[in-house]
Amino acid sequence: MLLDTYGRVATDLRVSLTDRCNLRCTYCMPEEGLQWLTKPELLTDDEIVRLVRIAVTELGVTEVRFTGGEPLLRPGLTGIVARCAELAPRPRMSLTTNGIGLERTASALRDAGLDRVNVSLDTLDPEVFQRLTRRKRHADVLRGLAAARAAGLEPVKVNAVLMPGFNEQEAPDLLSWALEEGYELRFIEQMPLDAQHGWRREGMITAGDILESLRTRFELAPEEERERGSAPAERWLVDGGPQRVGVIASVTRPFCRACDRTRLTADGQVRTCLFATEESDLRGALRSGASDAEVAELWRKAMWGKKAGAGIDDPSFVQPRRPMSSIGG
Ligand code: SAM
Ligand code: SF4
């Protein structure tokens, strides 16, 4: 098991497949992009599958989410999913993506064994999309979403970040649209994980603001606590249900006490938290010939050191050196 000193057990593994991206979301990275990892620095497909196998067979991981950067940019993605689907016990597998290219790959991913997708889409307005992501790809994302639904990668979830000066008014419109399309919408509070360190607590759109805005058009009733489990999103039944909307309030209502996550960066570092300032090098261990048991032990040790919480709202909070795109969101 991946246990920490607070008694939490990590069963949900987030694997970043690349730090590269074809968008430049303002809350994530600068217009010019970042200094990308080089090929030798990245884990190979074989190394990724080996680490997922160790996580699943020796460490009790049951859920694997592939992310990035943009995971659809990883050429071996479908093969990685197919090989992970053969593991016993088979993990549940999902993908967090900006949706560009999903139109072409959704059914192959489904056939390979992917169970679900989360597609990030912050706005229904192509022009706002272009300002927010600095790319003219809004229609590609909509087509990617429709392809995911058609391929049965359900429930299709949509992640939205609201940013002042861009889309802060859009919460009710996004929810109307998601209800109509049958997507499950979740708002994510903007977190201090952008490469430019431009996040400011003042001015950020909080879960409270989002709920207030949604309530101008919808009736929201909180979902029962037991249904939430360790999910980071607090969910509300919309107009009596059954459809729901979620809010991930990592800043104003952190849910660290129930966290069940462990993270692997594209260059093979274990992180215990998005906001961790320390990492443990599994790639080095793999490449110096460590056995599965030795790698598992390193991973367990790393998780044992997991901190109680991130404390973004705490004055002593320090933003981690790695940005979200490089950690894997
Ligand atoms: N490129 C993929 C995507 O956008 O879905 C996967 C990686 S991205 C880092 C994962 C999620 O993190 C996206 O839903 C994105 O909106 C969110 N995200 C990125 N930067 C963020 C920030 N500073 N605060 C909150 N969410 C952020
Ligand atoms: Fe790319 Fe995702 Fe970051 Fe946007 S949030 S720049 S899509 S990694």
Side-chain angles (χ1 to χ4, degrees):
M1 273 200 320
L2 289 173
L3 183 68
D4 69 33
T5 51
Y6 298 91
R8 295 170 297 192
V9 179
T11 54
D12 182 336
L13 167 62
R14 310 262 142 159
V15 184
S16 172
L17 296 180
T18 175
D19 59 337
R20 289 173 196 254
C21 193
N22 41 12
L23 295 184
R24 295 285 183 274
C25 304
T26 49
Y27 48 74
C28 186
M29 58 172 87
E31 181 146 29
E32 64 275 16
L34 298 167
Q35 175 102 47
W36 312 120
L37 291 167
T38 60
K39 186 122 197 256
E41 288 174 301
L42 288 175
L43 291 178
T44 63
D45 292 2
D46 286 347
E47 286 171 333
I48 289 170
V49 175
R50 180 172 172 207
L51 288 175
V52 173
R53 177 172 57 70
I54 292 171
V56 167
T57 58
E58 309 222 1
L59 297 170
V61 163
T62 55
E63 302 267 346
V64 179
R65 173 171 295 275
F66 298 106
T67 178
E70 179 41 52
L72 292 177
L73 294 181
R74 176 122 190 170
L77 171 64
T78 312
I80 292 171
V81 170
R83 290 168 68 189
C84 292
E86 282 166 13
L87 296 172
R90 180 196 186 287
R92 282 185 295 276
M93 284 183 289
S94 55
L95 181 75
T96 300
T97 170
N98 62 28
I100 296 171
L102 193 56
E103 187 186 11
R104 288 191 311 278
T105 48
S107 46
L109 286 168
R110 174 82 211 177
D111 293 346
L114 190 72
D115 296 299
R116 292 187 296 105
V117 286
N118 285 34
V119 177
S120 304
L121 179 65
D122 306 321
T123 175
L124 300 173
D125 181 335
E127 277 168 34
V128 175
F129 183 91
Q130 192 174 342
R131 275 205 298 132
L132 200 55
T133 68
R134 307 186 179 103
R135 297 288 185 275
K136 210 173 168 172
R137 308 299 297 267
H138 191 253
D140 300 73
V141 181
L142 293 181
R143 285 200 300 269
L145 270 164
R149 185 180 52 200
L153 289 166
E154 284 171 317
V156 175
K157 295 189 183 174
V158 173
N159 292 351
V161 177
L162 294 182
M163 292 289 287
F166 291 91
N167 58 346
E168 78 261 49
Q169 309 295 349
E170 263 199 77
D173 288 344
L174 277 164
L175 182 54
S176 292
W177 163 82
L179 295 174
E180 212 171 286
E181 297 286 339
Y183 304 139
E184 187 177 320
L185 180 64
R186 299 132 36 99
F187 292 95
I188 308 177
E189 277 183 344
Q190 187 202 358
M191 294 180 272
L193 284 171
D194 57 313
Q196 321 83 292
H197 290 233
W199 180 90
R200 296 288 172 273
R201 176 67 177 84
E202 324 72 62
M204 69 160 278
I205 296 167
T206 63
D209 299 332
I210 296 166
L211 292 170
E212 193 182 320
S213 169
L214 291 175
R215 286 192 162 116
T216 59
R217 200 180 301 172
F218 302 96
E219 247 177 61
L220 303 180
E223 188 181 58
E224 285 193 33
E225 191 67 29
R226 68 180 161 75
E227 287 187 72
R228 181 175 180 189
S230 59
E234 283 182 80
R235 296 199 302 178
W236 280 263
L237 287 177
V238 182
D239 291 339
Q243 283 178 294
R244 292 169 164 81
V245 63
V247 181
I248 302 179
S250 316
V251 179
T252 61
R253 299 213 279 251
F255 202 57
C256 304
R257 260 185 305 166
C259 180
D260 63 355
R261 295 199 177 160
T262 181
R263 296 173 179 275
L264 191 59
T265 63
D267 55 347
Q269 311 297 304
V270 164
R271 294 179 65 91
T272 57
C273 171
L274 273 175
F275 298 96
T277 47
E278 284 162 28
E279 302 183 337
S280 303
D281 181 19
L282 296 191
R283 183 189 66 191
L286 291 183
R287 292 185 184 174
S288 58
S291 66
D292 286 359
E294 284 164 340
V295 173
E297 192 46 34
L298 276 175
W299 205 328
R300 271 190 213 98
K301 260 201 199 131
M303 293 309 292
W304 188 249
K306 178 164 169 143
K307 303 269 187 308
I312 306 172
D313 252 352
D314 190 298
S316 62
F317 174 76
V318 181
Q319 178 167 346
R321 198 177 42 81
R322 270 194 205 251
M324 178 79 128
S325 56
S326 158
I327 298 169

